[in-house]
Amino acid sequence: MIDLFGRLAWGELKLFEFFHAPSIDTAVASGAAWMAVLGVLAVMAWLTVARRWGWLWSEWLTSVDHKKIGIMYMVIGFVMMARGVFEGIVMRAHQTTALDGGVLSNTHWAELFSTHGTVMIFFVAMPFITGFMNYLIPLQIGARDMAFPVLNQISLGLTTTGAALVMISLVVGAFETGGWTAYPPFTGADFDPGPGPDYWVWAIALSGFGSMFSGMNFAVTIYKMRAPGMSFMKMPVFTWTALCTSILLIFALPPLTVACLMQALDRLAGFHFFTNDLGGNMMNYANLFWMFGHPEVYILVLPAYGIFSELTSMFAAKRLYGYTSLVIATMSIAVISFCVWLHHFFTMGNSATINAAFGIATGIIAIPTGVKVYVWMATLWGGRIRMTTPMVYMTGFFILFVIGGLSGIILANPAINWQVHNTQFIVAHFHNVLLPGLIFGIFAGVHIWFPKAFGFRLDERAGKITALLWIVGFCLTFLPLYLVGLMGYPRRSAAFDNPDFVPIMIVCMIGACLLMAAFAGLFVTLWISIRNRDALAVPLGDPWDGRTLEWATSAPPPPWNFAMIPHVNERDAFAREKADGQPYVTPERYEDVHLPPNTAAGMVVMIATTAFGFAMTWWIWWLAVASFAGMVLWYVVHSFREHPEVTIPASTVARHHKAWVEAASLNPGVTRDHENDTRNRGRAATDMVVAS
């Protein structure tokens, strides 16, 4: 029986850990395990009672529609964010008591900061930005879908696999304790022979393939499927940031995947790539990881820059100032991001010459980032700004991101970096960059494009309250860490011995509670909006006076996106159509639309790779072989089957499109002063002077 289940045993279940050894520490571990299990059971129960299994399978899990795949990525991001936020609260609670030893064990503390970073970077931030790119790229370039729809679904399946393995580690076994970077020797077999590092290795390696495939898919889609007339310099800025992000995904993910597989060989097959003996060198891992790790920062933040670019233009009612400089800055960041990775280990023994070179490169990359900030401010200057929820997030972003960026300039100096590298100052810095730069951008984007995806707006009052909670909560949680970092509080430490830290950590705890309230506010906003969805409905599809092609469709868009592929003559094509008084027209004739059929390919990959990753973690070799062989066999058989396209008759396309055009033509349009009340049905009255 032991051989059949590898090293897996009943004692690995965390569900009953508290009952065997009651304490706050085990209560946290067992409570998290029970929350994960009960959450899954609750969802399954609801699907069963509501008889939604068939709908879930046919409408979502087997769909290759880029819009639905994008939404599913976002759902993964929100689910995993719940875990990340809860872990942050627990860590802050521990730090407020760390002078007396804290409420958690040292091992559990190390496990928490490892999972928190892993979850937030790989399974919150990555699904969010991939979801936005999935949803928006084809709509913004006038395409019907991604270049490789089935590969898109497979990428989603691989990302889900990584998230599933990390969530399984809550219930069975434990996670690694070497930080989100999983540095050996902390994750080597000698130091940690348990399943924790293996969970990390397989979750990151398998999801990494999915991200790399997504990058290739996005790049080919943008290169090959733009609407006629849409040259590169006529693309929306978000599409530009998505293109640069795609290139980063293609080139930055392989080093991480290679590092994971080499680490797996060290642990499972006795190799010595990163060990301290037989020729191994841990610094090889550090270089491989950060060759991915610093481009990863821009993989995450560039799409958020694209969102901020779109919203400044949209909510200032102006054409984006400095489009060309913004594009050049985006491309410059993408290139330079590969030249700065070594600043993550200035303290690890490199020569002064190498440190100086990477310090200079780190300072240089701030220049195109600064260009973006000035472009956004110039766009807002003189515009007719509406302080909607996205603009509240933008305001918080401006203030806090600039602070984080300036702290990054300070850290580009190797001598200063040496003093603060292993302190809470660094924790403050990277949260100061990623949370306002990425999360605020994501939430602003959700408020902008949610009505496009679901046909109704999010409640504005609840959205603004939630945005303010995020901003204030962030300030209280992370800005004080600059101070305690300069006072000498080390990062990653489970305890401290300076009582002066305690009042500051209490302030951080209060901020963390506000962040928890802000996260809950997202769901309150959603609940209020769903409850009032008839009053908030915007079926005509253009509630904000949008400028780009995605707003030239109904809300939600039909599966085929456009009744006819648009022809583009300039940037902001839809804004020009509205300024010319021709935003809604019908073609002389409609044609049949051909779409790819639904497929279970992504689900097969997800189930098989999750089983494979779990089996490799627990050394269940028969399951590893069976899952891998079964997946290969399924694809061999699947490749010989006929997969006829789904044909949407021209009459169906015409009926849908004409009904939408007629409804839009009968609507007089809502002015900006009333865009947040019930008069807004999705047709904005354009300010023609500004739009032109």
Side-chain angles (χ1 to χ4, degrees):
M1 184 64 71
I2 297 298
D3 292 336
L4 187 62
F5 294 102
R7 54 177 171 169
L8 184 61
W10 284 110
E12 300 291 348
L13 280 176
K14 287 188 176 180
L15 296 170
F16 309 109
E17 189 174 310
F18 173 76
F19 302 104
H20 295 148
S23 68
I24 295 177
D25 185 63
T26 55
V28 170
S30 292
W34 278 109
M35 287 178 66
V37 171
L38 293 176
V40 172
L41 292 177
V43 171
M44 294 176 66
W46 178 82
L47 290 169
T48 302
V49 171
R51 298 182 179 179
R52 288 282 189 168
W53 284 106
W55 163 82
L56 180 65
W57 178 261
S58 60
E59 293 294 324
W60 292 92
L61 298 182
T62 60
S63 174
V64 293
D65 186 338
H66 71 96
K67 299 181 290 296
K68 292 183 176 179
I69 289 176
I71 291 169
M72 286 189 281
Y73 268 112
M74 300 285 281
V75 170
I76 293 172
F78 275 111
V79 170
M80 298 303 288
M81 191 176 191
R83 176 176 176 179
V85 170
F86 276 113
E87 287 175 336
I89 288 286
V90 174
M91 285 192 291
R92 292 295 167 220
H94 175 83
Q95 287 181 316
T96 60
T97 60
L99 181 64
D100 301 317
V103 296
L104 303 176
S105 67
N106 292 346
T107 301
H108 194 183
W109 162 259
E111 186 181 350
L112 267 178
F113 74 69
S114 300
T115 55
H116 176 74
T118 301
V119 165
M120 295 301 289
I121 295 293
F122 292 105
F123 302 112
V124 174
M126 290 289 282
F128 273 144
I129 63 101
T130 308
F132 266 107
M133 291 195 291
N134 253 293
Y135 195 93
L136 289 176
I137 287 173
L139 287 169
Q140 287 200 334
I141 66 174
R144 299 207 188 279
D145 208 324
M146 301 293 292
F148 308 112
V150 177
L151 183 63
N152 198 23
Q153 192 194 76
I154 290 171
S155 298
L156 173 64
L158 288 167
T159 299
T160 308
T161 288
L165 289 172
V166 173
M167 292 302 288
I168 290 171
S169 73
L170 266 180
V171 182
V172 184
F175 204 69
E176 53 96 0
T177 57
W180 78 277
T181 56
Y183 276 155
F186 300 109
T187 53
D190 290 337
F191 186 88
D192 188 351
D198 297 300
Y199 270 127
W200 188 93
V201 163
W202 296 110
I204 301 307
L206 293 170
S207 64
F209 278 109
S211 297
M212 184 169 56
F213 295 155
S214 290
M216 292 187 287
N217 209 346
F218 295 146
V220 174
T221 301
I222 295 170
Y223 284 139
K224 296 295 185 180
M225 299 182 69
R226 301 189 309 280
M230 182 178 281
S231 64
F232 283 111
M233 296 308 290
K234 293 176 184 175
M235 294 194 311
V237 172
F238 179 85
T239 303
W240 261 111
T241 60
L243 176 59
C244 292
T245 299
S246 304
I247 295 169
L248 293 178
L249 285 169
I250 294 168
F251 287 100
L253 265 297
L256 175 66
T257 304
V258 167
C260 288
L261 296 178
M262 292 168 72
Q263 196 171 36
L265 289 171
D266 273 10
R267 290 183 56 81
L268 296 175
F271 282 53
H272 293 273
F273 292 116
F274 309 130
T275 60
N276 290 325
D277 58 348
L278 297 178
N281 188 342
M282 177 267 164
M283 290 305 299
N284 289 335
Y285 180 89
N287 278 283
L288 285 170
F289 183 90
W290 288 111
M291 284 173 66
F292 149 82
H294 202 83
E296 166 71 0
V297 173
Y298 295 101
I299 287 171
L300 301 179
V301 82
L302 280 180
Y305 289 167
I307 291 171
F308 287 128
S309 300
E310 301 286 350
L311 84 85
T312 50
S313 177
M314 189 182 305
F315 291 105
K318 284 179 62 179
R319 191 166 187 164
L320 188 68
Y321 179 89
Y323 172 91
T324 302
S325 62
L326 205 58
V327 169
I328 293 173
T330 301
M331 292 189 292
S332 300
I333 289 171
V335 173
I336 301 171
S337 69
F338 284 99
C339 305
V340 298
W341 82 85
L342 198 135
H343 71 217
H344 289 276
F345 44 100
F346 275 154
T347 61
M348 293 189 185
N350 296 291
S351 70
T353 302
I354 292 176
N355 283 350
F358 279 85
I360 292 169
T362 303
I364 288 173
I365 202 170
I367 296 173
T369 305
V371 167
K372 287 177 173 289
V373 174
Y374 282 110
V375 164
W376 294 324
M377 290 193 294
T379 302
L380 293 172
W381 181 266
R384 189 178 174 188
I385 300 172
R386 296 111 75 196
M387 283 306 294
T388 57
T389 301
M391 279 304 305
V392 175
Y393 280 114
M394 182 82 185
T395 304
F397 161 78
F398 264 138
I399 299 168
L400 297 173
F401 184 78
V402 169
I403 294 172
L406 291 174
S407 68
I409 296 297
I410 293 171
L411 292 170
N413 185 318
I416 296 175
N417 193 296
W418 185 279
Q419 299 299 317
V420 299
H421 186 81
N422 285 313
T423 72
Q424 293 289 332
F425 190 94
I426 297 294
V427 178
H429 163 69
F430 64 70
H431 283 89
N432 203 165
V433 172
L434 284 181
L435 208 153
L438 171 67
I439 300 299
F440 288 8
I442 293 298
F443 294 156
V446 167
H447 275 269
I448 294 170
W449 283 286
F450 185 93
K452 173 58 61 179
F454 296 101
F456 61 93
R457 293 176 285 115
L458 290 172
D459 184 83
E460 188 68 14
R461 182 170 177 269
K464 285 182 177 176
I465 293 172
T466 300
L468 291 172
L469 284 172
W470 277 110
I471 294 169
V472 175
F474 170 85
C475 291
L476 291 177
T477 304
F478 296 110
L479 295 186
L481 296 182
Y482 285 117
L483 178 59
V484 292
L486 293 174
M487 292 169 65
Y489 188 171
R491 60 174 171 152
R492 305 189 182 102
S493 176
F496 55 80
D497 57 6
N498 187 344
D500 293 338
F501 298 159
V502 175
I504 300 174
M505 299 319 298
I506 291 174
V507 172
C508 293
M509 181 64 200
I510 294 171
C513 291
L514 288 178
L515 290 181
M516 175 68 79
F519 182 71
L522 298 173
F523 294 92
V524 172
T525 302
L526 180 60
W527 179 75
I528 293 173
S529 304
I530 293 174
R531 187 184 61 186
N532 301 324
R533 61 186 177 276
D534 292 337
L536 297 170
V538 287
L540 301 181
D542 182 27
W544 314 125
D545 192 18
R547 308 180 66 84
T548 46
L549 287 177
E550 75 269 25
W551 303 109
T553 63
S554 61
W560 52 87
N561 290 349
F562 301 95
M564 58 284 189
I565 298 298
H567 287 253
V568 176
N569 296 315
E570 61 177 273
R571 293 200 305 269
D572 297 342
F574 189 49
R576 170 53 62 188
E577 289 178 4
K578 291 187 289 186
D580 292 342
Q582 297 179 327
Y584 305 101
V585 296
T586 56
E588 295 181 359
R589 59 186 295 270
Y590 292 88
E591 297 180 350
D592 293 347
V593 175
H594 302 282
L595 299 175
N598 283 10
T599 177
M603 285 299 296
V604 170
V605 165
M606 189 274 287
I607 294 170
T609 53
T610 300
F612 177 81
F614 185 81
M616 294 299 291
T617 297
W618 291 101
W619 303 349
I620 309 174
W621 308 123
W622 65 267
L623 180 59
V625 173
S627 57
F628 183 80
M631 180 175 63
V632 172
L633 179 62
W634 187 90
Y635 273 97
V636 169
V637 173
H638 187 68
S639 65
F640 284 98
R641 294 176 181 168
E642 292 290 335
H643 304 285
E645 292 181 326
V646 176
T647 300
I648 311 297
S651 58
T652 301
V653 176
R655 184 168 60 252
H656 180 279
H657 188 252
K658 288 179 179 178
W660 172 64
V661 169
E662 181 180 1
S665 301
L666 293 174
N667 190 294
V670 65
T671 64
R672 299 177 184 279
D673 297 327
H674 302 288
E675 70 180 2
N676 288 318
D677 60 36
T678 56
R679 281 170 279 191
N680 188 353
R681 309 305 288 177
R683 183 174 184 184
T686 302
D687 184 337
M688 294 189 183
V689 175
V690 178
S692 60

